[in-house]
Structures are given as C-alpha cells and as structure tokens.
C-alpha cells in the first residue's frame, strides 16, 4: 500500500509539473521563458560590449563549418550541400531553445559516421559516385536523404522523450573513459572509410557485419597498386598544409598579432585545391574525383517518411545518446568555467526541437563539435548571438558561393577529416597513464574501443555500456572492507592500513564494508565479517582487560538490562548507502553468529534509508535498539563502559537467526 501511495505521489507531482503553467498568467509566463530562453537573454543583450565579439566569433565558427560540413556530408553518405544545410537550419533553431552560450552545433565526425552506416544499410548508394541516379531496379529503395531525414526525426523524438521523462541522468552511465574509447574506436572507422577517397581508389567491395573494418583494411592494402597518384599527392600536400598551419603557423600568428582568431586552414586548403583542379582540369586528365555540382538557393521543405523511423530507430537511439552525452558534458564544463547557469533538462528539449525542426530540411543529425566550440570560445564568443552570425555566414556561402566549389577534390575532404581525427586517435597514448591510475577504467576504455572497432559502431556502444555496468556490479560484488582504529589524539576512526598513528582498543573490533548491502554481495559481506573476526581473533586486542571502577554510574539506559559480553564487534554502517531484504537477513545472521561466539554486536552511523528499512523489516525486534548508535565514538564508548562494568560475563540469551526458514518463506510453494 505504501508503495502504491509513493507511486501515486510521484505521478501526481510529474503531472502537476505539466499543467501548473496553465493555472495562472504568471506561471504561464515563467513556462514560456523557460521553454524559450531567448526571451530572457535577448532583451538584456549587451549590444555595446558583446555584439562585436559575437560577430567575430560567429564568423570564425562559420568559416570552420563550411569545409567540415561538406566533408562530413560525404561521410554521412549525403550530397555535399546537405552538410551546409545541416550547419544552418537546425543550428538556427537551437538559438531559441538552448541555454548554452558557447555550444557550436553542426556536423560531428562520429555522428556523421553513424548516419552513414544507417544510410548504407537502408538506401541505395552507387558504389563509386554519390551523385549518380538510382537504377530502375532500385526504385523501391528510399533515397539517402529520405533515410537521413527520418533518422533526424527519430533522434529528435528520442531526445524529446528523454526530456519529458527527465532521462538526462542516463548519460551518467557513459563515463568519460567509455566515451573516449568509443569515440576513438569510431575515429578508426572514420579513418578507414576515408582511405578510399584519400588514395583515389575505385571499385572496392562493400563489406558489412562484425569485423567488416578488418576486411576493408585488407582490401585497401591489396588495392594500393591501383591508387591514383594525383589524389595521393593532393591528399599529402593538404595534410601537410593543415598540420603545419595549425601546429606551427597559427601559434606564431597568435603570438605576433596577439589575436585569438586562428587562420582557417581547412578553408584555405579547400580554396587552393579547388583552384588547382580547375586550372589543371585534373578531374579529366588525372581522373581526380570532384564534388561536382553544388545547388544554390534555399532547399524545399519536405515531410520525413514516418514509415522509415522504425527501421532506423536503433540507430536513432544510439545517436541520441551519444549527442546528449557529449553535449551535456562539454556544455556543463563551459557553463561552470564562465559562470552561467545551464539547464540540462531544457538542453534536452533544445536538442530535440533542433532535430525535429531540422528533419523538414535536407539534413543529417547534428551534435556539438569540440573543436569548433573551443575555437569559438577562444575567438571571444559571448552569447548565443554568435550562432546567428555563424548560420548567416554559412547561408550566404550556400546561396551565392557554392557553385565555385564544384571542382573541389574529394580527396581534400578526406584529408580534412583525417587531420581532424588526430586529437581522437592521440587518446591511445593516454592508455598507459590510465592503466596506472585505474585498471577498471582502463578496461572500460579498451572494451569500448575494441568492441567499436571489431564489431560495429552502434553495437560497440551497447557492448561498452553493458561492460561498464558490469564493472559497477563487480565492484559492488567484491567491495573493500576495513578494520578501523582510533586515530591518535582525535575522536576519528580510520582504516588501519592507511594510518600509522592509531590506537587499538582491547576487546573491541570496528568493521566497515564499503558498499550497499544488496542481494548480490551478501555472501561477500558475510565472508568479510568472518575474515575480520579471524584477523581480530589472532591479534593481541582480542582479549580485553578487566578494570574495576568504583562508584561507577552508567549514563546509558541499556547498561542495567542484561549482563554484557566483554568482546565487542562494531559494524560501521556508514558504507551502507542502502540495503535490501536479503541485506537485512545477512545482518541478522551475522549478529546471531557473533553472539554464539560470545561477542556483542553494535551498529553505528546507519543512514536514514537504512534505518527506515530496519523499521519496515522489524529488525529491531531481533536486535535491540540499544545496539544502535549515531557515531562510532558512541558505540565504542558504551562498549568500553560495559567492559569496565561487567567484565567477562556472558548473556543468558543469544537470538538465533533461522536462515533456512527465511529462504523457504521467500520461495514459491509450487
């Protein structure tokens, strides 16, 4: 009955949250300002101090959006112009709903890769020419952009449901190490997928299924003699230009000019190689594959195909989780650094509205970009207004300058992607240090990496999350336990293995179990108690010394009830964050076993949820409340008083816990 009442109260509280805005004008106004944060920050925008910084920062980010948008559109198996649309329309929608001042939404390598895998599975794509038309026999298959828009809508719906049910906490299960291993493994997929265009190869066989990446690498190695030498040369020069420009030229320019605005070397590479191919006619003479026609003007609105959503729903869930996890972690970090409030729940709605609105345009899923965001921060971005100028700049390029990029070599886009992956792939060098710090976290990283590389991206994410949860269970299954002692000249009790200046109390053992006491670790708990008892039994502190105190007046009401044992075992319950029914049964069994060994048992520092569970389970009928104390100091103090008062006298009654009856009562009769 109590459980149903709690569920009813929770449901009522959640429903109140949704109808309360419509109960009064002031509540509705608050609701609108929360739903549209732009209503709060735009009227108070500091046009004098922030406008210039936002214009410069927004254009700087927009310059990066152009080559990245085109490159990642190819990675997501879309037309190049789709990457520019993805950097405009969904990003513009975020301005109205987002609370992060610095987040730069747009294309992201991992999300583009996951999109491309879904598109390859569900749509027909010619093997060597993305711009070719569908064959007559493939008319029943959806087009790549139809699959992409359905995927975008699916991602938006998943994120919207996460916002409605406040599921942003789920991203906490994606630890930094899991995300790092997953993104690094995804970066390997992206890297291998770019070798084909990087070397100008044609006619490679498509592979799918677990281990397809290994087969792709084998095919690329076997086809190296067929590589296009001009594509190889252009790719090599582009990567050298990007690497030298970013690593050597930009720091010098920043130091000399005292400017935080970096030179956009990706855009420089795009312009130079486009001019080179146009002048040399390399696409015809050397068979260098180019972008070809890029349409100008605004795209037409179209409805996503709802029938495709069930087919791409698993991909949508994976992408939504990755987008939310990366977005919230980076946005929270920047909000904390620059001291402004970030509403995580509102960010879920902002991302969902961004995706749902973007699905009516030819786009693919968007995500925050670490590189772009940090460039924007360094360029002086102050508010979301910078996003508006970024969208405006990319829009002007797509409307008026797209046709000048028709001779852009595809190998240059691949080179840009490969150089952008450097920071992700460099995380492999962090493994030795991570292994020294935490072997479990290192294992999570490696499982996420190898599962993603050897199986597939979406499946790798599921395997990584499952393994991370398994390690959590494993750590609670076999947690650490400690024997405590009094730290010299203090009232504190600490682990005897980490403190040297400690005082052991004769005849008193203090035990702590660092984990919740649940069904999966109660056997470990009982074994740890037994080990602690054996360790205590073999120590000099096992036997107490009787001291007769004259005229002793006890200050605890329990001192006159029953004769008290001379050996006392104190269980520090501070490590029990919560406890279940089997945990309570385990405590009864431990209490009974120790009393049979002539040992009095105390419980100290129990948290409120644990004490509430004791009340519900009638634990105090089995163990008197006089055995419970708020602190270790109180428990050990009473134990010493009882030693001094009663010496080695045993108690006439030691309650026995019937474990067989407890188990059989919880099993079905048939």
């Amino acid at each position: 009955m109590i459980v149903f009442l709690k569920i009813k109260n929770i449901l009522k509280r959640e429903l109140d949250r949704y109808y309360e805005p419509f109960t009064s004008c002031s509540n509705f106004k608050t609701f609108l300002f929360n739903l549209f944060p732009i209503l709060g920050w735009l009227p108070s925008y500091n046009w004098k101090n922030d406008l210039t910084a936002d214009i410069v920062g927004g254009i700087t980010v927009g310059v990066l959006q152009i080559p990245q948008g085109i490159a990642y559109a190819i990675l997501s198996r879309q037309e190049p112009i789709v990457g520019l649309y993805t950097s405009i329309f969904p990003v513009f929608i975020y301005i109205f709903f987002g609370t992060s001042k610095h987040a730069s939404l747009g294309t992201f390598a991992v999300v583009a890769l996951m999109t491309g895998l879904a598109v390859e599975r569900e749509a027909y794509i010619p093997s060597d020419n993305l711009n070719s038309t569908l064959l007559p026999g493939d008319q029943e298959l959806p087009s790549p952009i139809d699959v992409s828009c359905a995927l975008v809508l699916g991602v938006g719906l998943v994120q919207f449901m996460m916002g409605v049910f406040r599921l942003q906490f789920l991203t906490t299960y994606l630890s930094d190490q899991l995300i790092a291993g997953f993104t690094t493994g995804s970066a390997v997929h992206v890297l291998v997928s770019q070798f084909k265009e990087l070397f100008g190869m044609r006619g490679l066989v498509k592979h799918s299924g677990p281990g397809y990446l290994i087969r792709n690498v084998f095919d690329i190695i076997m086809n190296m003699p067929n590589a296009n030498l001009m594509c190889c040369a252009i790719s090599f020069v582009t990567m050298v230009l990007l690497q030298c420009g970013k690593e050597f030229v930009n720091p010098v320019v920043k130091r000399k000019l005292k400017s935080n605005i970096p030179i956009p070397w990706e855009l420089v590479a795009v312009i130079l190689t486009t001019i080179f191919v146009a002048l040399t006619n390399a696409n015809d003479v050397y068979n260098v594959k180019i972008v070809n026609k890029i349409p100008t003007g605004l795209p037409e609105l179209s409805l996503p195909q709802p029938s495709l959503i069930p087919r791409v729903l698993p991909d949508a869930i994976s992408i939504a989780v990755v987008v939310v996890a990366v977005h919230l972690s980076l946005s929270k970090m920047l909000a904390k650094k620059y001291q402004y409030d970030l509403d995580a729940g509102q960010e879920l709605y902002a991302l969902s509205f961004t995706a749902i609105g973007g699905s009516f345009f030819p786009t693919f899923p968007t995500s925050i970009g670490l590189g772009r965001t940090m460039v924007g921060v360094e360029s002086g971005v102050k508010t979301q207004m910078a996003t508006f100028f970024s969208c405006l700049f990319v829009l002007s390029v797509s409307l008026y300058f797209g046709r000048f990029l028709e001779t852009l070599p595809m190998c240059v886009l691949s080179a840009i992607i490969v150089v952008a992956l450097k920071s992700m792939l460099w995380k492999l060098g962090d493994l030795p240090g991570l292994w020294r710090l935490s072997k479990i976290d290192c294992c999570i990283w490696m499982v996420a990496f190898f599962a993603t590389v050897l199986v597939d991206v979406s499946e790798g994410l599921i395997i990584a999350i499952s393994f991370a949860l398994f390690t959590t269970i494993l750590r609670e299954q076999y947690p650490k336990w400690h024997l405590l002692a009094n730290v010299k000249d203090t009232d504190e009790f600490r682990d005897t293995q980490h403190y040297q200046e400690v005082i052991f109390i004769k005849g008193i053992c203090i035990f702590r179990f660092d984990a919740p006491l649940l069904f999966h670790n109660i056997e470990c708990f009982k074994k740890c108690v037994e080990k602690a008892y054996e360790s205590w039994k073999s120590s000099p502190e096992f036997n107490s010394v009787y001291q007769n105190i004259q005229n002793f007046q006890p200050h605890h009401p329990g001192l006159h009830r029953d004769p008290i044992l001379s050996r006392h075992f104190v269980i520090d319950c501070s490590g029990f964050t919560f406890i279940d029914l089997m945990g309570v049964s385990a405590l009864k069994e431990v209490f009974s076993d120790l009393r049979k060994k002539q040992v009095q048992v105390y419980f100290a520092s129990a948290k409120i949820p644990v004490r509430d569970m004791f009340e519900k389970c009638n634990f105090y009928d089995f163990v008197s409340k006089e055995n419970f104390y708020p602190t270790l100091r109180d428990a050990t103090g009473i134990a010493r008083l009882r030693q001094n008062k009663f010496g080695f006298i045993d108690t006439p009654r030691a309650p026995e816990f019937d474990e067989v009856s407890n188990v059989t009562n919880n099993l079905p009769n048939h």
Side-chain angles (χ1 to χ4, degrees):
M1 191 66 176
I2 297 177
V3 175
F4 287 113
L5 289 175
K6 286 186 176 180
I7 295 176
K8 181 180 178 181
N9 292 333
I10 292 174
L11 291 175
K12 183 178 183 302
R13 187 167 59 250
E14 291 298 316
L15 291 175
D16 289 347
R17 187 163 62 95
Y18 290 105
Y19 82 77
E20 185 179 357
F22 303 97
T23 57
S24 67
C25 293
S26 60
N27 289 343
F28 186 71
K29 179 182 177 181
T30 302
F31 168 74
L32 285 180
F33 274 72
N34 290 334
L35 184 61
F36 298 94
I38 191 173
L39 298 177
W41 64 262
L42 186 58
S44 60
Y45 182 75
N46 192 332
W47 297 91
K48 181 178 180 180
N49 296 330
D50 295 342
L51 182 61
T52 302
D54 283 339
I55 292 175
V56 174
I59 293 177
T60 302
V61 172
V63 169
L64 292 177
Q65 292 272 30
I66 295 170
Q68 289 183 1
I70 297 174
Y72 293 145
I74 304 300
L75 181 61
S76 64
R77 313 302 284 168
Q78 304 299 321
E79 300 287 345
I81 191 63
V82 175
L84 298 183
Y85 294 154
T86 303
S87 303
I88 299 172
F89 302 109
V91 180
F92 182 74
I93 296 173
Y94 179 80
I95 299 175
F96 296 90
F97 300 99
T99 59
S100 175
K101 298 180 180 180
H102 299 93
S104 174
L105 267 67
T107 56
F108 182 52
V110 175
V111 173
L113 171 69
M114 298 173 75
T115 303
L117 294 174
V119 170
E120 285 181 346
R121 186 185 68 245
E122 300 295 340
Y124 171 75
I125 303 176
S127 58
D128 286 327
N129 188 1
L130 288 174
N131 296 322
S132 63
T133 57
L134 292 174
L135 298 175
D138 299 308
Q139 291 296 329
E140 69 277 6
L141 292 175
S143 65
I145 193 61
D146 288 338
V147 176
S148 179
C149 289
L151 183 60
V152 174
L153 180 59
V155 170
L157 293 176
V158 171
Q159 291 170 339
F160 181 77
M161 297 307 295
M162 292 177 69
V164 169
F165 294 104
R166 298 183 178 184
L167 299 181
Q168 61 266 26
F169 72 91
L170 293 177
T171 59
T172 58
Y173 294 103
L174 277 68
S175 65
D176 291 343
Q177 290 71 35
L178 189 151
I179 290 293
F182 171 72
T183 54
T184 306
S186 300
V188 175
H189 279 270
V190 176
L191 178 67
V192 173
S193 69
Q194 298 309 301
F195 285 156
K196 175 184 172 182
E197 299 297 345
L198 203 66
F199 300 126
M201 296 179 179
R202 300 290 178 267
L204 294 181
V205 179
K206 279 186 181 178
H207 297 288
S208 60
Y212 80 94
L213 191 69
I214 307 300
R215 297 194 293 272
N216 285 345
V217 172
F218 178 78
D219 286 348
I220 290 170
I221 294 174
M222 297 305 296
N223 280 273
M224 284 303 294
N226 301 325
N228 188 312
L229 295 181
M230 178 57 72
C231 288
C232 294
I234 294 175
S235 301
F236 177 76
V237 172
T238 301
M239 288 190 289
V240 171
L241 175 66
L242 295 175
Q243 183 66 17
C244 293
K246 291 183 176 182
E247 297 295 331
F248 302 107
V249 178
N250 275 354
V252 174
V253 172
K254 181 179 180 180
R255 187 171 60 252
K256 295 292 185 182
L257 301 181
K258 300 186 183 303
S259 173
N260 291 325
I261 302 176
I263 298 175
W265 290 103
E266 292 90 351
L267 189 60
V268 171
V270 166
I271 294 173
L272 292 179
T273 54
T274 301
I275 295 173
F276 171 77
V277 172
L279 294 177
T280 60
N281 199 24
N283 56 317
D284 293 328
V285 177
Y286 300 103
N287 197 26
V288 174
K289 189 176 179 181
I290 60 175
V291 169
N292 281 326
K293 185 178 180 180
I294 297 180
T296 57
L298 294 174
E300 295 182 359
L301 288 174
S302 62
L303 292 174
Q305 297 184 18
S307 60
L308 292 176
I309 294 180
R311 294 161 59 177
V312 298
L313 186 58
D315 305 276
I317 295 174
S318 299
I319 293 174
V321 171
V322 171
V323 169
V324 170
V326 175
H327 181 89
L328 290 183
S329 61
L330 184 56
S331 298
K332 287 180 179 179
M333 180 192 72
L334 292 173
K336 182 178 181 180
K337 180 178 180 180
Y338 292 96
Q339 299 179 351
Y340 62 87
D341 294 330
L342 183 90
D343 188 340
Q346 177 61 26
E347 285 300 301
L348 287 180
Y349 287 118
L351 291 174
S352 66
F353 296 147
T354 294
I356 294 173
S359 66
F360 295 94
F361 298 90
T363 60
F364 56 89
T366 59
S367 175
I368 191 172
L370 174 60
R372 288 192 312 271
T373 300
M374 298 314 297
V375 167
V377 170
E378 293 174 359
S379 302
V381 168
K382 300 294 184 182
T383 67
Q384 295 94 319
M385 185 67 74
T387 304
F388 169 76
F389 294 106
S390 172
C391 295
L392 191 63
F393 181 82
V394 179
L395 179 63
S396 64
V397 171
S398 64
L399 289 178
Y400 304 109
F401 302 104
R403 62 181 182 273
F404 297 112
L405 299 176
E406 292 180 357
T407 57
L408 173 62
M410 299 289 286
C411 59
V412 171
L413 298 177
S414 296
I416 291 173
I417 293 175
V418 169
V419 174
L421 295 175
K422 183 188 67 173
S423 60
M424 293 186 187
L425 297 174
W426 253 224
K427 292 179 181 178
L428 287 166
D430 298 337
L431 279 181
L434 183 60
W435 178 261
R436 290 191 295 268
L437 291 174
S438 173
K439 292 178 174 56
I440 292 181
D441 286 335
C442 187
C443 289
I444 292 174
W445 196 104
M446 290 190 293
V447 168
F449 174 78
F450 286 111
T452 304
V453 170
L454 299 178
V455 183
D456 207 341
V457 177
S458 297
E459 291 82 352
L461 179 62
I462 295 173
I463 294 173
I465 295 175
S466 302
F467 180 77
L469 294 177
F470 173 72
T471 61
T472 303
I473 297 174
L474 195 65
R475 277 182 271 195
E476 291 188 356
Q477 181 79 27
Y478 302 103
K480 294 183 179 180
W481 61 275
H482 306 280
L483 290 178
L484 308 183
N486 179 230
V487 180
K488 188 177 181 180
D489 298 327
T490 71
D491 293 329
E492 300 295 327
F493 293 83
R494 292 292 184 263
D495 178 13
T496 57
Q497 294 180 345
H498 295 91
Y499 287 81
Q500 295 180 350
E501 296 291 328
V502 293
I503 300 173
F504 292 93
I505 305 174
K506 291 281 188 178
I508 300 177
C509 178
I510 307 174
F511 169 82
R512 188 179 72 216
F513 188 74
D514 288 336
L517 198 54
L518 303 175
F519 65 94
H520 62 272
N521 63 8
I522 58 170
E523 292 300 325
C524 179
F525 170 74
K526 290 186 286 187
K527 290 180 181 178
C528 291
V529 171
E530 185 63 29
K531 290 179 181 178
Y533 176 78
E534 294 298 329
S535 176
W536 177 42
K537 187 176 180 180
S538 61
S539 68
E541 289 77 24
F542 185 68
N543 295 315
S544 62
V545 178
Y546 177 79
Q547 294 180 0
N548 187 16
I549 300 178
Q550 298 294 331
N551 300 323
F552 173 73
Q553 296 296 327
H555 297 285
H556 190 275
L559 286 176
H560 288 304
R561 290 175 61 97
D562 288 322
I564 307 300
L565 304 178
S566 63
R567 297 188 181 93
H568 306 265
F569 193 90
V570 181
I571 298 178
D572 180 4
C573 299
S574 61
F576 304 157
T577 52
F578 42 88
I579 188 172
D580 64 4
L581 290 174
M582 292 188 68
V584 174
S585 299
L587 289 180
K588 291 180 180 179
E589 185 178 347
V590 166
F591 181 83
S592 177
D593 290 344
L594 289 175
R595 289 301 297 268
K596 290 177 183 178
K597 298 175 182 178
Q598 312 301 315
V599 176
Q600 173 71 306
V601 181
Y602 302 85
F603 300 91
S605 304
K607 292 179 169 57
I608 292 178
V610 176
R611 298 201 301 268
D612 291 342
M613 191 65 177
F614 289 160
E615 288 279 5
K616 295 175 184 177
C617 298
N618 298 320
F619 185 64
Y620 298 125
D621 293 342
F622 188 85
V623 181
S624 172
K625 284 189 176 182
E626 295 164 2
N627 294 72
F628 291 83
Y629 298 93
T631 66
L632 289 175
R633 179 187 177 188
D634 295 326
T636 55
I638 292 299
R640 297 184 71 177
L641 289 177
R642 286 173 170 172
Q643 283 180 343
N644 295 336
K645 180 65 178 177
F646 298 104
F648 291 4
I649 304 175
D650 196 355
T651 55
R653 171 185 171 274
E656 184 173 350
F657 177 67
D658 187 358
E659 185 178 10
V660 176
S661 299
N662 180 71
V663 173
T664 55
N665 289 335
N666 289 283
L667 292 177
N669 295 326
H670 302 286

